[in-house]
Amino acid sequence: MKFSTKKTLVAAVALTAVAGSFAASSAFADDDAPSPWLVRVRMLQVQTMQGNDAGGGVPADSIKVANRTQPEIDVSYFFTHNISAELVGSYPLSHQVQLNGNYIGGLQELPPILNLQYHFDGMGNFVPYVGAGMMYLRTMNVSLLGGALGLQQNNWGEDVQLGADYKLDNHWLLNADIKKTWVSVGLDSAATGGTILQLHPDPYIMGVGVGYRF
């Protein structure tokens, strides 16, 4: 997907959420309204793409960052009945890295995500939503080819999101969610200190879990 198309998709989903706020009535207009705070715990499958630019003797699309499964916790705040912001947190994810199918080392990454969401009405206990926002990817504990290669530590990207909650009662709910992210990470040479090429892990982040509305 080209950069301009990614930007357009993220902007379109975000504008959907913002536009919906003008039609949404306040969720907190009376004492019977639910709390604006929602916490979810999910099990995530982080599925990375195989993609990199060519450079430094490395062919294009030859580096693979391994997939990862682990839990996460996220917190949402509802500004209105339909509009919320979600912050996704996790402890560092460990990944193995392969070059042309051969193991060359590993890394850890911390990928918090902040999204603006729009939640749809009219489907009873089933509440689908869309979202868009930004992710921050912090790499750490990088060990590639015995230290010959390094990664840029601070990286920013965009994401879009599609998910749904199913209300079990006034507080508890089930959740399923998928995010598509776009992020580039510079691969550096320890010998020269320069960037050899750009990795494009662009992970899909798929999760299922439970939530509690206070």
Side-chain angles (χ1 to χ4, degrees), residues 5-212:
T5 305
K6 292 186 291 184
K7 288 289 189 181
T8 300
L9 182 56
V10 172
V13 176
L15 285 173
T16 298
V18 173
S21 66
F22 293 100
S25 60
S26 172
F28 319 117
D30 57 64
D31 293 336
D32 294 329
S35 163
W37 293 101
L38 168 63
V39 175
R40 299 186 187 91
V41 177
R42 289 188 280 229
M43 182 62 69
L44 297 183
Q45 170 72 11
V46 181
Q47 184 172 334
T48 60
M49 302 294 99
Q50 181 169 315
N52 58 272
D53 299 336
V58 177
D61 298 335
S62 60
I63 298 177
K64 172 66 176 177
V65 179
N67 300 334
R68 176 74 180 184
T69 301
Q70 76 173 56
E72 62 91 2
I73 186 169
D74 61 85
V75 179
S76 295
Y77 182 85
F78 283 76
F79 302 102
T80 74
H81 181 70
N82 301 91
I83 305 298
S84 70
E86 178 193 59
L87 178 62
V88 179
S90 176
Y91 60 89
L93 285 75
S94 298
H95 295 277
Q96 294 183 345
V97 182
Q98 294 183 345
L99 173 62
N100 294 322
N102 299 311
Y103 174 76
I104 63 170
L107 61 94
Q108 288 186 316
E109 47 118 342
L110 187 65
I113 298 174
L114 180 62
N115 280 348
L116 181 67
Q117 299 175 330
Y118 183 80
H119 301 254
F120 296 92
D121 288 326
M123 302 183 191
N125 291 341
F126 180 72
V127 184
Y129 58 85
V130 295
M134 299 293 296
M135 72 174 297
Y136 168 70
L137 182 65
R138 168 81 175 183
T139 62
M140 61 196 76
N141 298 326
V142 178
S143 178
L144 301 175
L145 292 179
L149 297 177
L151 292 177
Q152 291 177 351
Q153 290 186 331
N154 302 303
N155 307 277
W156 293 89
E158 308 91 23
D159 83 290
V160 293
Q161 172 187 34
L162 177 65
D165 292 319
Y166 184 82
K167 298 178 182 178
L168 300 175
D169 56 33
N170 290 333
H171 296 285
W172 291 98
L173 55 87
L174 302 177
N175 175 263
D177 183 279
I178 181 170
K179 298 177 179 70
K180 171 58 181 173
T181 66
W182 294 274
V183 62
S184 295
V185 181
L187 184 67
D188 299 331
S189 167
T192 65
T195 298
I196 300 173
L197 52 82
Q198 293 288 323
L199 303 181
H200 307 289
D202 297 346
Y204 284 94
I205 303 175
M206 297 164 282
V208 293
V210 297
Y212 186 84

